[in-house]
Amino acid sequence: MPIAVDIDVMLAKRKMSVGELAERVGITPANLAVLKNGRAKAVRFSTLAALCEVLECQPGDLLRWEADGPTDGAADDVADGAADGVADGAADPALS
């Protein structure tokens, strides 16, 4: 998943348990575990704001983007102009 969740890092920094955080935020420990383990499909801004308030942090301290694994090269081809019909190393007819 391209979005990584670092709630466990902030919990360790704040020396707080999952149960305590869940209680203070107002969500169930099970729902917090789903979020913490990266299995959530979405998070409400109100929940994110409550997490940040309790943990005294910014959203970027809890969530970060990670690139997926290596691509098949298609994205590189697009960046190199292959999407315009220009293969790597070929002259661009529009520039001739």
Side-chain angles (χ1 to χ4, degrees):
M1 174 183 231
I3 301 296
V5 181
D6 290 328
I7 291 175
D8 53 345
V9 173
M10 290 307 297
L11 282 170
K13 285 183 180 179
R14 302 296 185 251
K15 297 181 175 146
M16 188 181 299
S17 70
V18 171
E20 180 183 353
L21 179 60
E23 183 178 324
R24 291 178 62 184
V25 169
I27 61 176
T28 66
N31 283 342
L32 182 57
V34 167
L35 180 59
K36 185 174 86 69
N37 295 323
R39 295 189 317 262
K41 300 293 181 198
V43 61
R44 288 188 175 118
F45 282 160
S46 59
T47 302
L48 183 58
L51 287 165
C52 290
E53 183 177 349
V54 170
L55 292 170
E56 298 177 350
C57 66
Q58 294 295 312
D61 297 325
L62 302 177
L63 304 172
R64 65 187 156 80
W65 180 80
E66 286 184 345
D68 284 335
T71 64
D72 62 359
D76 294 336
D77 291 342
V78 171
D80 292 338
D84 296 324
V86 178
D88 289 342
D92 185 344
L95 299 176
S96 301

